[in-house]
Amino acid sequence: MANLNVKKGMLIDVQPLKSKQEINELIEALGMSQNGLRDQLLFKIGVSTGLRCGDLVALKVEQVKGKSSFKIREGKTKKERTVYLNNLMADIADYIETLPVDAIYLFASRKGGSHITTTQAYRIIAKAGDMIGNDSIGTHTMRKTFGYTYYRATKDVATLMEIFNHSSQKTTLRYIGITEESIENSIKSISFF
């Protein structure tokens, strides 16, 4: 997908956010929108769970309300997965209090009775990225940030590969930007003369 500042049709190289400071700056930028609480929660759930954007925007209130975890059948892979929300329960509860009592979708669209689209989610995330001066942010940033943070904390690429339903560890490391980062760091560490 193209970033808002890039000509229509051009692709950008979406990257993970690699520090808590970058993550918090984006959360702050998301809070400045008209639907700040919604947009912040969308991003927080995305970076905390690694869900694909299509699964994220389609979450229903009943799936997450008062729950520390829930099972989801992922749209792309059709595989069932348990999603953990322990660190987000208070944020989710606070946000749900702002929704109409009969709300079905957690991230409801203002247009009709459905949820926001993945395109709308992309626009939300990319606009916040532009606000903090980072043009390599899109909806995949959430999933990649989850993976990058998980890998840096655990070094457990095998489990991360399972979470992402990737076919190889190499694919997972490349997806979260570790392969390129490792090459760069190893070259920087060598003194040739």
Side-chain angles (χ1 to χ4, degrees), residues 23-24 26-53 55-67 70 83-99 103-108 116 121 124-125 128 139 142-143 146:
I23 293 169
N24 289 326
L26 193 67
I27 290 169
E28 188 176 323
L30 287 163
M32 295 179 192
S33 71
Q34 180 181 354
N35 297 297
L37 271 179
R38 179 197 70 189
D39 299 349
Q40 286 177 322
L41 186 63
L42 175 78
F43 181 76
K44 286 179 178 181
I45 293 176
V47 298
S48 298
T49 65
L51 285 173
R52 286 181 179 85
C53 188
D55 295 326
L56 190 59
V57 297
L59 288 175
K60 294 184 175 180
V61 173
E62 68 182 26
Q63 283 178 281
V64 300
K65 186 175 183 178
K67 296 181 181 174
F70 67 94
V83 177
Y84 299 95
L85 301 171
N86 301 37
N87 299 335
L88 297 169
M89 288 182 68
D91 288 333
I92 292 169
D94 290 346
Y95 172 69
I96 289 175
E97 285 183 24
T98 69
L99 298 177
I104 296 171
Y105 291 101
L106 192 61
F107 305 111
I116 64 172
I124 290 165
I125 302 294
T139 50
M142 295 182 287
R143 189 167 161 86
F146 166 82

Side-chain angles (χ1 to χ4, degrees), residues 160-180:
L160 184 57
M161 183 184 94
E162 288 294 318
I163 292 169
F164 279 168
N165 286 313
H166 284 164
S167 57
S168 74
Q169 292 183 7
K170 184 178 178 181
T171 300
T172 300
L173 291 172
R174 186 173 55 244
Y175 181 76
I176 62 174
I178 294 295
T179 306
E180 201 169 301

